[in-house]
């Protein structure tokens, strides 16, 4: 029987639930998908807790209905706002040379798990950037190598305990158990940035509705991550305030506009508000100026975050752009010019969820299924060791 998993990804404006099974050769097959918008969150917590409880329940039930099965355990994607990254060097000395085992690697990781200054966070992922054999030979796979000393640069990806507890309680109230907490930025990077690009170092920028996350990746780990409370909603509200229109009209204008496009004073955008038969006209130049000013600010923030990361980022290191705002026309080209480095748009190949805003949820379900596979392999190895004895 193929492995099956359910995962929920909680973004700044919507909740996505997916039920999928591992593919025969690679990847996975989506069995059920449900998406619902909700009020979101801020630094103080959920804006509408009761609405979130209803939203989680409804997306789970709908995905289960499509999949034709009930799954009791659910993996939860933790957004960038509730994710931290700590980079540490951990070492292990054996006294004399011997072959390195998986248990040695696990003990090495444990050596670095001291986060007394971050009591509100727990470790979700332990990702080696590289291992070092006897302090001189660098490798990504030290198993079965002879060594008297093993060290590693480890990326510990932490998630906020309060966020995980809160979602876990909501799931429990609906009859589900939280299986694991998965950091969404890491999950989507592993799923959509090619390994060869990550090996050279890559940058992930996720521009959501209320926040923008900037992550620097190396191999299968994260060197740096931070989220700033600015996103697509700020563009919408700028348009609404300066053009004296409601958010619904402002959002239509944002989606109609093409970032970075040269327009004349005579060009206009025409919008017909919902429930109205009257077309409203807006100066394309004024709309562009408002949008460009906010996107310029987002670009400045990305630059500052990359400087703050302390990572060596040559010009060939590319930015991978995702999130709901990244789907706006022309933003990739605008940001590429503004940031002076290559920018690629993450475009999921799923026929049902082929927009950048779904890359995070797809990454979470992919990593959840990978974790199930690794757990089964680990259990098999333990059984083999018993019989060897």
């Amino acid at each position: 029987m193929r492995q099956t998993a359910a995962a929920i990804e909680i973004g700044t404006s919507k909740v996505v639930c997916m039920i999928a099974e591992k593919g025969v050769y690679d990847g996975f097959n989506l069995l059920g998908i449900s998406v619902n918008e909700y009020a979101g969150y801020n630094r103080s917590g959920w804006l509408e807790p009761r609405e979130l409880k209803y939203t989680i329940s409804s997306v789970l039930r709908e995905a289960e209905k499509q999949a034709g099965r009930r799954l009791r355990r659910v993996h939860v994607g933790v957004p960038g706002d509730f994710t931290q990254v700590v980079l540490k060097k951990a070492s292990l000395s054996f006294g004399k040379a011997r072959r390195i085992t998986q248990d040695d690697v696990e003990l090495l990781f444990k050596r670095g798990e001291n986060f007394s200054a971050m009591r509100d966070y727990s470790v979700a992922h332990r990702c080696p950037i590289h291992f070092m054999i006897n302090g001189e030979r660098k490798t990504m796979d030290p198993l079965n190598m002879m060594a008297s000393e093993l060290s590693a640069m480890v990326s510990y990806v932490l998630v906020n305990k309060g966020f995980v507890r809160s979602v876990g309680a909501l799931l429990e109230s609906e009859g589900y158990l939280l299986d694991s907490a998965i950091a969404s930025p890491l999950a989507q990077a592993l799923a959509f940035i090619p390994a060869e690009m990550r090996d050279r170092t890559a940058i992930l920028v996720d521009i959501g509705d209320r926040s923008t996350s900037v992550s620097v990746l190396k191999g299968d780990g994260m060197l740096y991550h931070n989220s700033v409370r600015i996103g697509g909603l700020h563009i919408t509200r700028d348009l609404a305030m300066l053009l004296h229109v409601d958010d619904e009209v402002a959002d239509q204008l944002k989606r109609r506009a093409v970032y970075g496009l040269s327009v004349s004073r005579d060009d206009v955008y025409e919008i017909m508000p919902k429930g109205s038969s009257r077309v409203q006209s807006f100066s394309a130049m004024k709309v562009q100026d408002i949008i460009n000013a906010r996107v310029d600010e987002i670009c400045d923030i990305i630059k500052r975050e990359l400087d703050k990361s302390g990572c060596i980022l040559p010009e060939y290191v590319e930015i991978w752009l995702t999130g709901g705002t990244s789907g706006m026309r022309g933003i990739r080209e605008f940001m590429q010019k503004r940031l002076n480095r290559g920018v690629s748009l993450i475009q999921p190949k799923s026929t049902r969820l082929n927009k950048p805003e779904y890359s995070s949820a797809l990454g979470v379900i992919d990593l959840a299924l990978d974790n199930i596979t690794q757990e089964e392999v680990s259990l098999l190895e333990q059984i083999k060791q018993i019989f060897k004895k």
Side-chain angles (χ1 to χ4, degrees), residues 92 94 98-111 131 143 145 150:
L92 199 61
F94 306 129
R98 64 173 177 79
R99 293 197 183 278
I100 298 169
T101 67
Q102 185 62 46
D103 287 343
D104 294 328
V105 174
E106 290 296 320
L107 180 58
L108 179 71
F109 289 158
K110 284 286 184 184
R111 284 279 177 92
F131 292 94
L143 293 181
M145 287 187 175
L150 175 65

Side-chain angles (χ1 to χ4, degrees), residues 70-363:
R70 174 87 190 264
L71 293 182
R72 182 166 167 72
R73 305 183 72 86
V74 180
H75 300 266
V76 173
V78 180
D81 295 299
F82 300 95
T83 299
Q84 294 283 346
V85 172
V86 178
L87 203 61
K88 278 189 176 185
K89 183 179 180 181
S91 299
L92 199 61
S93 180
F94 306 129
K96 61 179 182 179
R98 64 173 177 79
R99 293 197 183 278
I100 298 169
T101 67
Q102 185 62 46
D103 287 343
D104 294 328
V105 174
E106 290 296 320
L107 180 58
L108 179 71
F109 289 158
K110 284 286 184 184
R111 284 279 177 92
E113 289 187 25
N114 179 16
F115 305 105
S116 55
M118 303 181 73
R119 297 184 187 279
D120 294 336
Y121 285 80
S122 60
V123 177
H125 311 280
R126 303 173 303 179
C127 313
I129 303 302
H130 63 256
F131 292 94
M132 193 76 78
I133 305 297
N134 297 331
E136 54 187 25
R137 183 180 174 187
K138 194 179 287 188
T139 180
M140 283 304 297
D141 184 9
L143 293 181
N144 296 316
M145 287 187 175
M146 295 294 293
S148 57
E149 183 183 341
L150 175 65
S151 61
M153 185 60 70
V154 185
S155 168
Y156 294 94
V157 183
L158 315 179
V159 293
N160 184 273
K161 291 178 182 178
F163 178 92
V164 175
R165 276 197 303 266
S166 176
V167 177
L170 289 171
L171 287 171
E172 257 187 63
S173 70
E174 296 300 319
Y176 298 89
L177 291 175
L178 192 155
D179 194 313
S180 71
I182 294 173
S184 296
L186 176 65
Q188 63 179 328
L190 294 178
F192 292 102
I193 302 178
E196 61 271 19
M197 300 299 290
R198 299 197 312 271
D199 287 344
R200 297 171 59 192
T201 309
I203 301 163
L204 176 70
V205 174
D206 186 337
I207 308 176
D209 198 43
R210 287 184 171 88
S211 64
T212 295
S213 291
V214 179
S215 309
V216 180
L217 300 113
K218 181 74 173 176
D220 290 343
M222 301 173 76
L223 301 178
Y224 177 81
H225 170 81
N226 193 32
S227 287
V228 182
R229 297 293 289 178
I230 185 171
L233 183 62
H234 293 77
I235 299 172
T236 300
R237 288 179 175 170
D238 287 347
L239 290 166
M241 181 178 68
L242 295 172
L243 298 176
H244 308 290
V245 297
D246 60 31
D247 284 356
E248 186 269 326
V249 172
D251 193 60
Q252 284 193 53
L253 281 169
K254 183 178 73 173
R255 296 177 189 280
R256 283 284 305 279
V258 180
Y259 299 153
L261 183 70
S262 295
V263 292
S264 71
R265 293 185 180 278
D266 297 327
D267 291 328
V268 295
Y269 289 121
E270 294 185 337
I271 300 293
M272 183 180 289
K274 289 179 182 177
S276 172
S277 58
R278 188 171 65 87
V279 173
Q280 295 184 30
S281 296
F282 301 89
S283 164
M285 184 172 285
K286 189 170 184 179
V287 170
Q288 293 296 91
D289 285 346
I290 295 169
I291 290 173
N292 291 351
R294 184 61 82 170
V295 178
D296 257 342
E297 182 186 2
I298 293 173
C299 288
D300 284 339
I301 287 169
I302 293 168
K303 280 186 173 181
R304 284 202 299 271
E305 288 299 321
L306 294 179
D307 289 342
K308 196 168 75 173
S309 74
C311 300
I312 299 172
L313 300 169
E315 288 185 4
Y316 67 74
V317 174
E318 196 167 327
I319 290 174
W320 295 77
L321 186 62
T322 187
T325 304
S326 69
M328 303 296 103
R329 295 182 299 168
I331 193 169
R332 184 190 72 83
E333 293 81 4
F334 184 89
M335 294 185 77
Q336 186 164 271
K337 184 177 180 181
R338 185 72 173 72
L339 296 171
N340 296 316
R341 64 174 73 234
V343 177
S344 292
L345 185 64
I346 289 179
Q347 195 79 39
K349 294 179 181 178
S350 169
T351 54
R352 298 171 71 181
L353 300 169
N354 59 2
K355 295 180 180 179
E357 62 195 86
Y358 297 115
S359 66
S360 184
L362 288 164

